[in-house]
Amino acid sequence: MSSFTKASSSTSCSEEDTEQLRKGPWTLEEDSLLTRYVARHGEGHWNLLAKLAGLRRTGKSCRLRWLNYLKPDVKRGNLTPEEQFLILELHCKWGNRWSKIAQELPGRTDNEIKNYWRTRVQKQARHLKIDANSAAFRNVIRCFWMPRLLQMMKGSSTLPQQVAGLGQQNSDSEQCASSCVSSSESMNNNMSKISEFAEYQTSSFSITDNNEYNTVAKDCYYVDNSSCYGMETINLPSTSAVGDFMTADCHMVDNNWVNDGFADGIWSMGELWELPLKGNL
DNA sequence: AAGAACCCCAACCGCTGAGAG
DNA sequence: CCTCTCAGCGGTTGGGGTTCT
């Protein structure tokens, strides 16, 4: 089924409508028409807008094109580690509430975030042979992926205020708190252990400023006494440490992904943000 | 070089809730 | 209330680019 097909097969619309409605990729001319119309008259009333602007599109289609592509403040390009961190963090709290999550990332659309989740995050889950919605995978995100992103942010010295302030902003969120947050004291303890673990993990990246790291840690929710309680096993000297750690950590989960390419998968996680966005012009 | 497999993401679809009449 | 319309949301699809074999 081609997305270029006109809706002429539909019997629910009048013949005139089906003849005129276009589908599929937008042309430059259509973009220009929509942009000029919105610049002059503003957003909203999309069905009316579509008619008055002379666009042979549904209002829905116009709205989507504007919000996801034409709107001037739409950011293009790769998601930064900060943005990825926020997405992981907020998804932990809100689940698949893409538009709500997008509101916290200025310039990013719900569609983009949804695509990121599907193509990057769920891909990791597949590689690890874990259900992306499982508690085990959430633990992986909180205990490995998010600390890794923090390292990257720290490495690039661009730790954003929005991340640093996230805790205060959302500290009343019991939902996430119940699954992710422990007391700040134990959080700080665990964070220093995560730091050690991360240092061990990467060996090329050293964490020296514990204060800054812990400040962030205090406000973020990826450590959890109930679900990430294997921290004391972190400093094992061989690669089996990862397996041991996760075994201790996730023994309640009936998956066999712990010893099944887990470490490889984890290593690749941190690099995800660097992958070029293909076909994105 | 060429076909297959994979990946990304723009755009569509169906559903839901809000608001007007 | 009920019905209708519209805006918005989340899930899904498929075209086209890239990578692999």
Side-chain angles (χ1 to χ4, degrees), chain A residues 14-224:
Chain A
S14 73
E15 238 175 65
E16 193 181 346
D17 286 345
T18 57
E19 192 57 39
Q20 289 191 349
L21 279 182
R22 269 181 52 78
K23 284 187 176 183
W26 281 62
T27 64
L28 282 175
E29 190 189 356
E30 287 176 314
D31 281 349
S32 162
L33 275 174
L34 179 55
T35 305
R36 268 186 280 148
Y37 189 93
V38 171
R40 206 170 296 161
H41 302 97
E43 302 176 35
H45 304 100
W46 295 105
N47 284 331
L48 188 64
L49 180 153
K51 279 182 192 155
L52 296 180
L55 287 159
R56 294 181 300 173
R57 296 272 181 174
T58 64
K60 257 185 173 183
S61 180
C62 294
R63 174 183 164 272
L64 211 63
R65 182 62 177 172
W66 174 256
L67 292 178
N68 287 342
Y69 197 83
L70 297 175
K71 203 173 178 178
D73 56 4
V74 171
K75 268 193 217 165
R76 322 295 308 170
N78 292 350
L79 290 163
T80 63
E82 293 82 19
E83 289 172 321
Q84 291 179 62
F85 186 96
L86 268 173
I87 292 170
L88 297 177
E89 162 68 24
L90 295 175
H91 189 274
C92 162
K93 280 170 60 185
W94 296 330
N96 295 0
R97 303 284 306 280
W98 307 119
S99 65
K100 194 169 164 72
I101 294 172
Q103 285 168 12
E104 303 295 323
L105 289 107
R108 299 297 186 180
T109 67
D110 57 346
N111 214 26
E112 195 171 9
I113 292 165
K114 184 167 57 179
N115 282 333
Y116 167 74
W117 189 266
R118 281 189 59 80
T119 59
R120 310 292 174 82
V121 181
Q122 290 194 338
K123 188 176 86 176
Q124 281 303 321
R126 278 200 305 276
H127 284 171
L128 297 174
K129 297 184 172 67
I130 324 173
D131 177 4
N133 297 317
S134 67
F137 189 62
R138 281 197 296 275
N139 284 340
V140 170
I141 287 176
R142 287 195 298 269
C143 303
F144 289 89
W145 200 336
M146 292 171 78
R148 178 88 170 117
L149 286 168
L150 275 178
Q151 288 174 39
M152 289 174 177
M153 290 184 242
K154 186 177 164 59
S156 61
S157 302
T158 57
L159 204 61
Q161 291 193 341
Q162 62 189 135
V163 169
L166 203 58
Q168 284 94 356
Q169 192 181 324
N170 300 309
S171 58
D172 57 345
S173 172
E174 292 87 359
Q175 268 193 334
C176 184
S178 66
S179 65
C180 310
V181 179
S182 58
S183 71
S184 347
E185 193 183 346
S186 62
M187 181 82 74
N188 285 340
N189 288 338
N190 285 335
M191 271 315 299
S192 68
K193 286 173 179 170
I194 281 189
S195 300
E196 290 166 23
F197 179 58
E199 187 169 11
Y200 158 73
Q201 255 192 341
T202 61
S203 73
S204 61
F205 188 93
S206 65
I207 296 161
T208 53
D209 184 353
N210 282 329
N211 287 336
E212 184 187 349
Y213 206 75
N214 284 340
T215 302
V216 175
K218 180 167 169 281
D219 294 327
C220 300
Y221 307 143
Y222 44 77
V223 183
D224 159 27

